[in-house]
Amino acid sequence: MEEDDPHLERLPVDFEQVAITTESNDRFSVIDDKAWAHLFPPKRGFIRLGSKGRAFAIGLYHQLHCVNSLRFSYTIARDGLVTDPEVLRGKIGHDNHCFQFIRQSIQCKADNSLVPIQTNRNLSLAAMGFGSMHRCGNWEQVRRFVVENQAQWESVPLFNGTSGRHVE
């Protein structure tokens, strides 16, 4: 496969697997914009690969972008912050894309971790699923790769004809 082959499918690095136990986390509440923003590396995680620097998004950051966008849509709908029908139609189109992308990403990973059901406790649905162990790709290694890659291509705009300001 040539460096600029348009059929690249994965980052050209193997990342280690890590274990994570899911837990309730108030840091990423629906209203904490700053915490959600810190999930993303610069330029929302876009990178360049190959000798010509073909631009790519990374699935991890596209998925997080979609969850964050749906979080934002939920908040503005809950609080009635957007009433312009044109803006709402645009949001619905993007939100539909995100629901589809997240659904397909979840199915693709086919996480087969067992999530125990606590039948002897009176747990709310909000507590279900926490405490189970999952095997995951090391997202910190992915972030380091992105930052190093962006440093190599710092002087090249991400999109032709633009300064890349919209992805800072």
Side-chain angles (χ1 to χ4, degrees):
M1 180 178 300
E2 292 183 28
E3 282 187 278
D4 286 291
D5 187 324
H7 301 291
L8 289 173
E9 294 178 355
R10 303 198 141 349
L11 289 175
V13 177
D14 289 324
F15 299 103
E16 68 182 14
Q17 293 286 299
V18 295
I20 183 174
T21 301
T22 56
E23 58 187 23
S24 180
N25 185 331
D26 292 336
R27 179 172 177 222
F28 293 101
S29 74
V30 169
I31 59 172
D32 193 343
D33 293 338
K34 287 184 180 179
W36 282 88
H38 285 307
L39 288 172
F40 298 91
K43 300 180 183 176
R44 293 187 305 193
F46 288 104
I47 62 166
R48 291 181 164 282
L49 294 174
S51 61
K52 296 179 184 173
R54 181 171 179 219
F56 288 90
I58 296 176
L60 165 68
Y61 294 117
H62 189 173
Q63 293 158 19
L64 286 172
H65 157 78
C66 279
V67 171
N68 190 40
S69 180
L70 293 170
R71 175 192 69 86
F72 182 73
S73 291
Y74 165 78
T75 303
I76 63 172
R78 179 195 64 194
D79 298 342
L81 299 175
V82 174
T83 57
D84 182 318
E86 287 298 313
V87 173
L88 290 172
R89 269 193 288 282
K91 283 293 294 158
I92 289 170
H94 183 252
D95 290 352
N96 186 56
H97 153 79
C98 282
F99 277 118
Q100 295 302 321
F101 190 77
I102 292 169
R103 176 190 57 80
Q104 291 173 32
S105 297
I106 290 168
Q107 288 179 300
C108 175
K109 291 298 178 191
D111 183 354
N112 63 359
S113 303
L114 297 176
V115 180
I117 305 299
Q118 303 294 332
T119 57
N120 59 347
R121 291 189 190 158
N122 186 17
L123 292 178
S124 72
L125 288 177
M128 294 297 291
F130 292 126
S132 58
M133 176 87 56
H134 299 262
R135 298 296 300 169
C136 311
N138 188 327
W139 55 90
E140 291 174 356
Q141 285 183 323
V142 175
R143 185 184 187 104
R144 280 193 299 272
F145 177 89
V146 167
V147 170
E148 290 169 9
N149 176 276
Q150 289 174 345
Q152 292 175 331
W153 294 96
E154 187 174 346
S155 64
V156 179
L158 189 59
F159 298 106
N160 290 333
T162 71
S163 65
R165 284 191 311 261
H166 63 286
V167 293
E168 293 298 328

